Amino acid sequence: EAGVAQSPRYKIIEKRQSVAFWCNPISGHATLYWYQQILGQGPKLLIQFQNNGVVDDSQLPKDRFSAERLKGVDSTLKIQPAKLEDSAVYLCASSELAGDAWKEQFFGPGTRLTVL
Amino acid sequence: AQSVSQHNHHVILSEAASLELGCNYSYGGTVNLFWYVQYPGQHLQLLLKYFSGDPLVKGIKGFEAEFIKSKFSFNLRKPSVQWSDTAEYFCAIPRAGTNDMRFGAGTRLTVKP
């Protein structure tokens, strides 16, 4: 079974530039998550989609971050403009439809972003 | 709000040593707790989980964790570590009623051959 795919794996940009990350979840997984993992910290949820609708984006810095999940499959996360503190690994995860019961999340390899 | 804390940032052990990584949670209600592992160059993956019942839960690769409600703890243990256990270990707790995982800062384990 194919896992969660993410691209690019690495990205280096200058501050104030924009960047986009792409995620392809496991086939059939209705729920998709984007996490930010800053060096030395655990992953922090940025946004959760259920199919193509947003379930939770309370921790997404909406002045510069945006995400979409068109057609309920692939998702993109964008940062515009980037700041130095956005340097982190951005993880995508997916799970079966997460309703009342807990569903295991499967993580992708992440995209390591460096903002100079 | 639900959260977990891990006090050991980096643990270095020799092969065959016993392992215990600490995890404390802050929530007084029904608790579900998890340990995740990230091997070098690999994806974050689930190691074990606790929902209810037997407070001693067993996971993959010989790991186990014990839920002690009176101590708000869910420590990860392994009787004898191997070099291949070198990884980063994260304790996690979901926000109540959601699949939103709250992770601890992680503990980096280095096992010397």
Side-chain angles (χ1 to χ4, degrees):
Chain A
E1 175 182 283
V4 176
Q6 290 187 247
S7 68
R9 294 294 310 277
Y10 305 92
K11 189 74 178 178
I12 301 174
I13 62 173
E14 305 224 335
K15 60 184 179 184
R16 290 188 288 273
Q17 285 186 321
S18 62
V19 64
F21 313 125
W22 173 82
C23 173
N24 179 240
I26 291 173
S27 177
H29 278 189
T31 309
L32 185 147
Y33 315 77
W34 282 103
Y35 288 86
Q36 180 193 56
Q37 185 176 11
I38 293 172
L39 187 65
Q41 300 179 21
K44 182 186 83 171
L45 182 72
L46 292 175
I47 188 167
Q48 177 183 346
F49 291 95
Q50 197 119 288
N51 296 309
N52 60 350
V54 175
V55 174
D56 180 4
D57 64 356
S58 57
Q59 299 187 89
L60 187 74
K62 298 180 188 62
D63 57 333
R64 298 183 300 104
F65 286 65
S66 64
E68 60 182 9
R69 191 183 183 198
L70 300 176
K71 302 181 182 178
V73 182
D74 293 2
S75 176
T76 56
L77 176 70
K78 296 178 182 177
I79 307 175
Q80 183 179 7
K83 292 186 175 181
L84 295 176
E85 59 261 35
D86 298 332
S87 292
V89 175
Y90 291 85
L91 297 170
C92 180
S94 70
S95 73
E96 294 177 353
L97 188 66
D100 292 338
W102 177 83
K103 298 293 183 185
E104 182 175 352
Q105 295 179 32
F106 295 85
F107 287 82
T111 296
R112 183 177 298 276
L113 173 67
T114 301
V115 182
L116 302 175
Chain B
Q2 295 87 345
S3 66
V4 290
S5 59
Q6 295 177 247
H7 304 295
N8 312 108
H9 296 295
H10 190 191
V11 173
I12 302 173
L13 297 173
S14 298
E15 276 196 311
S18 64
L19 169 72
E20 182 160 3
L21 301 182
C23 172
N24 289 97
Y25 65 91
S26 61
Y27 183 60
T30 301
V31 174
N32 300 328
L33 290 159
F34 304 81
W35 276 97
Y36 283 80
V37 61
Q38 188 167 27
Y39 297 102
Q42 295 189 27
H43 308 180
L44 194 63
Q45 59 185 288
L46 183 65
L47 193 58
L48 51 79
K49 58 185 182 287
Y50 170 78
F51 284 109
S52 63
D54 189 344
L56 185 64
V57 292
K58 297 195 184 293
I60 59 172
K61 303 187 180 184
F63 285 90
E64 64 179 30
E66 185 174 11
F67 172 66
I68 304 179
K69 190 173 181 179
S70 61
K71 295 184 178 180
F72 292 87
S73 70
F74 188 58
N75 292 354
L76 181 70
R77 301 196 296 243
K78 187 170 184 179
S80 175
V81 294
Q82 300 172 314
W83 176 79
S84 58
D85 293 324
T86 294
E88 188 139 21
Y89 293 82
F90 295 92
C91 184
I93 186 170
R95 191 160 52 96
T98 77
N99 230 42
D100 169 12
M101 302 300 289
R102 302 293 172 90
F103 289 86
T107 297
R108 184 154 57 101
L109 172 67
T110 301
V111 180
K112 298 185 293 184

